Amino acid sequence: MTDLCNTSDMDRNLKFLIPCALVILSQSALAAKHPSMPEVLAASSPADWRPLDPENTLYVDLPGGRVVIELAPAFAPLHVVNIKTLTRAGYFNGLSIIREQDNYVAQWGDPDNRHPLPPGIGKVAPEFDSALSPQMAFTRLPDGDVYAPEVGFSAGFPVARSQKLHKAWLAHCYGMVGVGRDLDAESGSGAEMYVVIGHAPRHLDRNVALVGRVIKGIELLSSLPRGSAEMGFYAKNEKPLPIKSIRVAADVPAAERSNLEVIRTDTPTFTALVESRRNRPEDFFKTQAGRIDLCNVPIAVRDAH
């Protein structure tokens, strides 16, 4: 039928004109049935969304607004415990964004050792990856990956995994939050953290502990002036952005919380969302990609109803 419907041969295949027209129209109708991402979200049900767990949500309050971070204790439990201990001790309050490297990361910490570490904070296991559990919910992407045998989403986070290694790990996508460290694999306590603000640096996967991702407010970090010193650190003559406070959402009065919901990644609605981005149905797109990269799948967030 494809050859017969070739317009260059149509003068020789007039008897196929009507069948070809019907085929073309039916293909157009099928394409029109594929919803766009806004249409997928508009048709979603309350069961397709989940609230953030206040005990595993951080509020980074900056002069320009709030950055909301969802922690991932299932992948980095020791680091998450440290981070919450540091947060509840007020360790981060009054520190600054110390690094803003273009197309890479925004980072905060205490390089001048102004704040003593609270008791109990020390070296922990690297938590670069974790044992692959059959109980782990995993929505696999169909198009493969350069850095891992399989990639997909688990509990809203971008995840790579290897059946051969029996390992799973979080991936360095835009907005992911990691723990700074030195050469020692166990040198990252959580006292220094960074957020990916550029093209996904997937080469860092399984080399740094990822502990969560920014749910809202990434623009407050990605739009900061770039540091002029090596690796984007701010030079002494550059004024870093102060951090007003970092708090665990559970410790914040309910009236002051950011009431957000996140799309679940274990539902048919999310599968439809992925497909809407693999093959964009909007009129602007003349050629369908037919595939999607792990870090190019958007995780929708909305104000709770």
Side-chain angles (χ1 to χ4, degrees), residues 104-136:
Y104 204 49
V105 299
Q107 185 170 323
W108 61 85
D110 186 18
D112 299 325
N113 298 314
R114 293 184 292 151
H115 295 183
L117 291 174
I121 299 298
K123 290 184 176 182
V124 297
E127 296 187 310
F128 298 160
D129 52 29
S130 56
L132 186 60
S133 169
Q135 285 74 44
M136 183 185 77

Short mmCIF file of all heavy atoms in Angstrom, two decimals, residues 104-136:
data_model
loop_
_atom_site.label_atom_id
_atom_site.label_comp_id
_atom_site.label_asym_id
_atom_site.label_seq_id
_atom_site.Cartn_x
_atom_site.Cartn_y
_atom_site.Cartn_z
N TYR A 104 26.16 23.26 34.93
CA TYR A 104 26.62 22.16 35.77
C TYR A 104 25.87 22.12 37.10
O TYR A 104 24.84 21.48 37.19
CB TYR A 104 28.13 22.27 35.98
CG TYR A 104 28.80 20.96 36.30
CD1 TYR A 104 28.55 19.82 35.53
CD2 TYR A 104 29.69 20.86 37.36
CE1 TYR A 104 29.17 18.61 35.81
CE2 TYR A 104 30.32 19.65 37.65
CZ TYR A 104 30.05 18.53 36.88
OH TYR A 104 30.67 17.34 37.16
N VAL A 105 26.36 22.84 38.11
CA VAL A 105 25.74 22.73 39.44
C VAL A 105 25.72 24.06 40.18
O VAL A 105 26.52 24.95 39.92
CB VAL A 105 26.48 21.69 40.33
CG1 VAL A 105 26.44 20.31 39.72
CG2 VAL A 105 27.91 22.13 40.61
N ALA A 106 24.77 24.15 41.13
CA ALA A 106 24.78 25.15 42.19
C ALA A 106 25.06 24.40 43.48
O ALA A 106 24.51 23.31 43.70
CB ALA A 106 23.44 25.88 42.26
N GLN A 107 25.90 24.97 44.33
CA GLN A 107 26.37 24.23 45.50
C GLN A 107 26.38 25.12 46.72
O GLN A 107 26.64 26.31 46.64
CB GLN A 107 27.78 23.70 45.22
CG GLN A 107 28.37 22.80 46.28
CD GLN A 107 29.65 22.13 45.79
OE1 GLN A 107 29.77 21.77 44.61
NE2 GLN A 107 30.61 21.99 46.67
N TRP A 108 26.06 24.52 47.87
CA TRP A 108 26.16 25.27 49.13
C TRP A 108 26.92 24.43 50.16
O TRP A 108 27.01 23.22 50.07
CB TRP A 108 24.79 25.67 49.66
CG TRP A 108 23.82 24.56 49.97
CD1 TRP A 108 23.72 23.84 51.13
CD2 TRP A 108 22.81 24.05 49.11
NE1 TRP A 108 22.71 22.92 51.04
CE2 TRP A 108 22.12 23.04 49.82
CE3 TRP A 108 22.38 24.36 47.81
CZ2 TRP A 108 21.06 22.32 49.28
CZ3 TRP A 108 21.33 23.64 47.27
CH2 TRP A 108 20.68 22.65 47.99
N GLY A 109 27.47 25.12 51.16
CA GLY A 109 28.23 24.45 52.20
C GLY A 109 28.89 25.46 53.11
O GLY A 109 28.52 26.64 53.14
N ASP A 110 29.90 25.00 53.83
CA ASP A 110 30.58 25.84 54.82
C ASP A 110 32.08 25.66 54.70
O ASP A 110 32.73 25.09 55.58
CB ASP A 110 30.10 25.45 56.22
CG ASP A 110 30.63 26.37 57.30
OD1 ASP A 110 31.08 27.49 56.97
OD2 ASP A 110 30.61 25.97 58.48
N PRO A 111 32.69 26.14 53.59
CA PRO A 111 34.12 25.92 53.39
C PRO A 111 35.00 26.61 54.41
O PRO A 111 36.15 26.21 54.61
CB PRO A 111 34.35 26.49 51.98
CG PRO A 111 33.28 27.50 51.79
CD PRO A 111 32.08 26.94 52.51
N ASP A 112 34.47 27.64 55.07
CA ASP A 112 35.26 28.36 56.08
C ASP A 112 35.04 27.82 57.48
O ASP A 112 35.53 28.41 58.45
CB ASP A 112 34.92 29.85 56.03
CG ASP A 112 35.25 30.48 54.69
OD1 ASP A 112 36.26 30.08 54.09
OD2 ASP A 112 34.49 31.36 54.24
N ASN A 113 34.31 26.72 57.60
CA ASN A 113 34.06 26.09 58.90
C ASN A 113 33.50 27.06 59.93
O ASN A 113 33.93 27.09 61.08
CB ASN A 113 35.36 25.44 59.42
CG ASN A 113 35.86 24.35 58.51
OD1 ASN A 113 35.09 23.50 58.07
ND2 ASN A 113 37.15 24.37 58.19
N ARG A 114 32.51 27.83 59.51
CA ARG A 114 31.88 28.78 60.43
C ARG A 114 30.93 28.08 61.40
O ARG A 114 30.71 28.56 62.52
CB ARG A 114 31.13 29.84 59.64
CG ARG A 114 32.02 30.78 58.82
CD ARG A 114 31.19 31.85 58.15
NE ARG A 114 30.32 31.32 57.12
CZ ARG A 114 29.16 31.84 56.76
NH1 ARG A 114 28.69 32.89 57.39
NH2 ARG A 114 28.45 31.29 55.80
N HIS A 115 30.34 26.97 60.97
CA HIS A 115 29.36 26.26 61.80
C HIS A 115 29.92 24.90 62.21
O HIS A 115 30.26 24.09 61.34
CB HIS A 115 28.05 26.07 61.04
CG HIS A 115 27.35 27.35 60.72
ND1 HIS A 115 26.12 27.39 60.10
CD2 HIS A 115 27.67 28.64 60.95
CE1 HIS A 115 25.72 28.64 59.94
NE2 HIS A 115 26.67 29.42 60.44
N PRO A 116 30.00 24.61 63.48
CA PRO A 116 30.45 23.27 63.89
C PRO A 116 29.41 22.22 63.53
O PRO A 116 28.20 22.48 63.57
CB PRO A 116 30.58 23.41 65.41
CG PRO A 116 29.66 24.53 65.79
CD PRO A 116 29.68 25.48 64.63
N LEU A 117 29.89 21.06 63.17
CA LEU A 117 28.97 19.97 62.86
C LEU A 117 28.29 19.49 64.14
O LEU A 117 28.93 19.38 65.19
CB LEU A 117 29.72 18.80 62.21
CG LEU A 117 30.27 19.03 60.81
CD1 LEU A 117 31.11 17.83 60.37
CD2 LEU A 117 29.13 19.25 59.81
N PRO A 118 27.01 19.21 64.10
CA PRO A 118 26.32 18.72 65.29
C PRO A 118 26.79 17.31 65.64
O PRO A 118 27.35 16.60 64.79
CB PRO A 118 24.84 18.73 64.87
CG PRO A 118 24.86 18.68 63.39
CD PRO A 118 26.10 19.39 62.95
N PRO A 119 26.59 16.88 66.88
CA PRO A 119 27.00 15.53 67.28
C PRO A 119 26.35 14.46 66.40
O PRO A 119 25.21 14.58 65.98
CB PRO A 119 26.49 15.43 68.72
CG PRO A 119 26.37 16.84 69.19
CD PRO A 119 25.99 17.64 67.99
N GLY A 120 27.13 13.42 66.13
CA GLY A 120 26.60 12.29 65.37
C GLY A 120 26.81 12.37 63.88
O GLY A 120 26.51 11.41 63.16
N ILE A 121 27.32 13.50 63.41
CA ILE A 121 27.56 13.64 61.97
C ILE A 121 29.00 13.23 61.66
O ILE A 121 29.95 13.82 62.16
CB ILE A 121 27.33 15.09 61.49
CG1 ILE A 121 25.89 15.50 61.73
CG2 ILE A 121 27.68 15.22 60.01
CD1 ILE A 121 24.87 14.69 60.98
N GLY A 122 29.13 12.22 60.86
CA GLY A 122 30.46 11.75 60.48
C GLY A 122 30.42 11.06 59.14
O GLY A 122 29.46 11.19 58.38
N LYS A 123 31.44 10.31 58.84
CA LYS A 123 31.50 9.61 57.57
C LYS A 123 30.42 8.52 57.52
O LYS A 123 30.11 7.88 58.52
CB LYS A 123 32.87 8.97 57.37
CG LYS A 123 33.99 9.96 57.13
CD LYS A 123 35.29 9.24 56.84
CE LYS A 123 36.41 10.22 56.50
NZ LYS A 123 37.68 9.52 56.16
N VAL A 124 29.87 8.33 56.34
CA VAL A 124 28.90 7.26 56.12
C VAL A 124 29.29 6.49 54.86
O VAL A 124 30.13 6.94 54.08
CB VAL A 124 27.46 7.82 55.97
CG1 VAL A 124 27.02 8.50 57.25
CG2 VAL A 124 27.37 8.77 54.79
N ALA A 125 28.68 5.34 54.69
CA ALA A 125 28.93 4.57 53.47
C ALA A 125 28.58 5.41 52.24
O ALA A 125 27.70 6.28 52.31
CB ALA A 125 28.11 3.29 53.50
N PRO A 126 29.24 5.19 51.11
CA PRO A 126 29.05 6.07 49.96
C PRO A 126 27.61 6.16 49.44
O PRO A 126 27.16 7.23 49.02
CB PRO A 126 29.97 5.46 48.90
CG PRO A 126 31.00 4.71 49.66
CD PRO A 126 30.31 4.20 50.88
N GLU A 127 26.88 5.05 49.43
CA GLU A 127 25.50 5.02 48.90
C GLU A 127 25.42 5.54 47.46
O GLU A 127 24.51 6.27 47.09
CB GLU A 127 24.54 5.80 49.82
CG GLU A 127 24.40 5.18 51.21
CD GLU A 127 23.34 5.84 52.05
OE1 GLU A 127 23.35 7.08 52.15
OE2 GLU A 127 22.52 5.12 52.64
N PHE A 128 26.41 5.17 46.67
CA PHE A 128 26.40 5.53 45.26
C PHE A 128 25.34 4.72 44.50
O PHE A 128 24.83 5.17 43.48
CB PHE A 128 27.75 5.29 44.62
CG PHE A 128 28.87 6.12 45.21
CD1 PHE A 128 30.19 5.73 45.04
CD2 PHE A 128 28.61 7.28 45.92
CE1 PHE A 128 31.23 6.48 45.55
CE2 PHE A 128 29.64 8.04 46.44
CZ PHE A 128 30.95 7.64 46.26
N ASP A 129 25.07 3.53 44.98
CA ASP A 129 24.03 2.68 44.40
C ASP A 129 23.48 1.81 45.52
O ASP A 129 23.91 1.88 46.67
CB ASP A 129 24.56 1.84 43.24
CG ASP A 129 25.81 1.06 43.59
OD1 ASP A 129 25.98 0.70 44.79
OD2 ASP A 129 26.64 0.78 42.70
N SER A 130 22.51 0.98 45.20
CA SER A 130 21.92 0.11 46.21
C SER A 130 21.56 -1.22 45.58
O SER A 130 21.50 -1.36 44.34
CB SER A 130 20.67 0.76 46.82
OG SER A 130 19.73 1.08 45.82
N ALA A 131 21.35 -2.22 46.42
CA ALA A 131 20.99 -3.54 45.93
C ALA A 131 19.65 -3.49 45.21
O ALA A 131 18.72 -2.81 45.65
CB ALA A 131 20.94 -4.53 47.08
N LEU A 132 19.56 -4.18 44.10
CA LEU A 132 18.34 -4.22 43.32
C LEU A 132 17.31 -5.07 44.04
O LEU A 132 17.54 -6.25 44.31
CB LEU A 132 18.63 -4.77 41.93
CG LEU A 132 17.49 -4.75 40.91
CD1 LEU A 132 17.01 -3.33 40.67
CD2 LEU A 132 17.95 -5.38 39.60
N SER A 133 16.19 -4.47 44.36
CA SER A 133 15.15 -5.17 45.10
C SER A 133 13.98 -5.50 44.17
O SER A 133 13.51 -4.62 43.43
CB SER A 133 14.64 -4.32 46.26
OG SER A 133 13.47 -4.87 46.83
N PRO A 134 13.47 -6.72 44.20
CA PRO A 134 12.30 -7.06 43.36
C PRO A 134 11.05 -6.30 43.79
O PRO A 134 10.09 -6.21 43.02
CB PRO A 134 12.13 -8.57 43.57
CG PRO A 134 12.85 -8.87 44.84
CD PRO A 134 13.97 -7.89 44.94
N GLN A 135 11.05 -5.77 45.00
CA GLN A 135 9.90 -5.01 45.49
C GLN A 135 9.91 -3.55 45.03
O GLN A 135 8.94 -2.84 45.22
CB GLN A 135 9.84 -5.05 47.02
CG GLN A 135 9.35 -6.37 47.61
CD GLN A 135 10.38 -7.48 47.53
OE1 GLN A 135 11.56 -7.26 47.82
NE2 GLN A 135 9.95 -8.67 47.13
N MET A 136 11.02 -3.10 44.43
CA MET A 136 11.11 -1.72 44.01
C MET A 136 10.23 -1.46 42.81
O MET A 136 10.37 -2.10 41.76
CB MET A 136 12.56 -1.34 43.67
CG MET A 136 12.75 0.12 43.29
SD MET A 136 14.45 0.51 42.75
CE MET A 136 14.43 -0.16 41.08
#
